[in-house]
Amino acid sequence: MTHDRPKTRRPTIYDVAKQAGVSPSLVSLVLQNPVRVSEKRRDAVQAAITELGYRPSQAATALASSRTKSIGLVIDDYRNLWFVDLLRGMESVLTEEGYRVMLADSRPGENRISEAVDGLLAMHVDGLVIAAEPSASMLTAAGVPTVVAGWRNGVPAGADLITNDDDGGGAMAAHHLLGLGHTRIGHLSGFGGAAAHRRAGFAGRLRDAGADMRVVGEAGGTSEEDGYASACWLLDHHPDTTAIFAANDTMALGAFGAIKARGLAVPSQISVIGYDNSTLAKSRYLELTSVDNRSDLVGKEAAKVLLARIESGAPSSGRTLIAPTLVVRGTTAPLPG
């Protein structure tokens, strides 16, 4: 006759608290921030953890501490490579502090972004990073510490803004092309705060130099397809264009397609410069000249500011600008003789 072995129950944070003679919230504090606990009680909790073989459960710790150790990130387009480095920068800071990122893709639209934010708030995230155009209904406080990453057409009340200096980056792109002798320059732009700032910086520098700028797509998207369509219109209506500045690297890729379809060569006949210095720009196949907006640093700074606000309850500190740099590769060259 055989007997089933008694099933062993996995120890919980409440078992540890009972064993150590402390509250579950203090156990949670030891797990998250042990320096804030006296050495005597900290040792008692650690001894109970060892004796019981307890493995921390994030859900249980969050229940006892009233925090979920999660940050909500709202983006508006998975296809935009800018978000890859932004997320990498955020996680490099958040992971070390035991936080995880919960991602929501809103896509353009008043209802979509509101639904994305509401969904994250329903999961009781401790803070929000908004990397999308806020809807009108979001321009009031979200109820949790909030950081907006990148220029947007509006910033919710009480939110911090962490962004690249896109005005300076646009001017930097213009300065580079002017230095190569280009004066008939096309710009592929799009809707949104970041595109508007890049366009303003670029236009201002060209205007000061007396150069001719042709802007296309201010009210449209910034995908590869948008870049292709805008570049087609530009080259068909202004065939004397000798250089193109795209609002991001993905649009620049679309411009390459339009240029190739018209039998032109980059950079011997037309120069192309992008923005973001994404993995696309760095590829050996494209070797795209691009403005590096240091989206990884935007992500790191957004995470640091958010954690500081979560921990201290401090109010918004305002706006932080990250300086861009220009990375020159093989898609820009002096004006053809």
Side-chain angles (χ1 to χ4, degrees):
M1 183 176 178
T2 59
H3 298 278
D4 293 333
R5 292 183 179 180
K7 294 182 179 179
T8 58
R9 182 176 63 85
R10 179 179 177 179
T12 69
I13 195 171
Y14 300 99
D15 296 325
V16 174
K18 182 178 180 180
Q19 179 82 3
V22 299
S23 67
S25 60
L26 190 131
V27 176
S28 177
L29 188 59
V30 170
L31 294 171
Q32 296 179 65
N33 196 355
V35 296
R36 295 177 57 187
V37 181
S38 68
E39 183 178 0
K40 180 179 179 180
R41 294 205 289 177
R42 186 169 65 238
D43 289 346
V45 170
Q46 293 293 355
I49 288 174
T50 300
E51 183 176 343
L52 295 173
Y54 171 71
R55 292 184 179 180
S57 162
Q58 191 171 34
T61 302
L63 181 64
S65 67
S66 78
R67 289 185 184 166
T68 61
K69 300 289 282 188
S70 61
I71 300 298
L73 170 62
V74 181
I75 66 175
D76 56 14
D77 191 348
Y78 279 115
R79 298 169 297 178
N80 190 335
L81 296 175
W82 181 81
F83 295 116
V84 175
D85 288 336
L86 176 77
L87 180 58
R88 180 165 54 84
M90 286 178 56
E91 289 189 328
S92 70
V93 173
L94 295 173
T95 301
E96 290 186 0
E97 300 298 325
Y99 282 78
R100 68 185 188 279
V101 177
M102 302 177 70
L103 186 63
D105 177 20
S106 68
R107 297 295 175 90
E110 171 83 15
N111 293 332
R112 291 299 300 273
I113 190 168
S114 296
E115 290 171 1
V117 171
D118 289 345
L120 291 171
L121 293 176
M123 297 178 185
H124 303 288
V125 294
D126 298 322
L128 277 175
V129 175
I130 300 174
E133 292 294 338
S135 63
S137 61
M138 283 177 55
L139 297 181
T140 56
V144 297
T146 302
V147 171
V148 174
W151 289 111
R152 306 295 164 189
N153 287 329
V155 177
D160 288 90
L161 174 65
I162 313 294
T163 184
N164 173 249
D165 179 8
D166 286 302
D167 294 82
M172 193 175 290
H175 181 77
H176 175 62
L177 294 176
L178 289 169
L180 295 173
H182 296 279
T183 57
R184 298 186 300 277
I185 303 171
H187 177 42
L188 313 182
S189 190
F191 172 78
H197 280 273
R198 294 171 190 182
R199 184 169 63 246
F202 190 71
R205 181 66 182 86
L206 290 189
R207 187 167 50 247
D208 292 343
D212 182 16
M213 184 178 83
R214 300 88 184 258
V215 181
V216 187
E218 300 100 312
T222 55
S223 67
E224 179 182 347
E225 294 82 0
D226 295 315
Y228 178 80
S230 292
C232 285
W233 190 96
L234 173 70
L235 295 174
D236 290 343
H237 288 78
H238 299 282
D240 60 340
T241 299
T242 63
I244 291 177
F245 168 47
N248 62 30
D249 294 340
T250 307
M251 291 191 83
L253 181 61
F256 271 91
I259 292 167
K260 181 180 179 181
R262 282 151 184 78
L264 299 173
V266 178
S268 60
Q269 292 175 286
I270 186 165
S271 289
V272 178
I273 179 170
Y275 206 111
D276 290 343
N277 195 36
S278 63
T279 53
L280 188 65
K282 300 170 187 176
S283 71
R284 290 184 177 86
Y285 178 73
L286 286 184
E287 294 188 340
L288 176 65
T289 295
S290 183
V291 178
D292 189 345
N293 62 358
R294 298 311 310 271
S295 55
D296 59 327
L297 291 185
V298 173
K300 286 181 180 180
E301 189 64 22
K304 289 177 182 178
V305 168
L306 197 59
L307 288 181
R309 291 187 59 186
I310 291 170
E311 294 297 328
S312 68
S316 167
S317 58
R319 186 177 76 182
T320 301
L321 289 180
I322 306 296
T325 58
L326 178 68
V327 181
V328 179
R329 298 189 178 91
T331 60
T332 50
L335 180 69

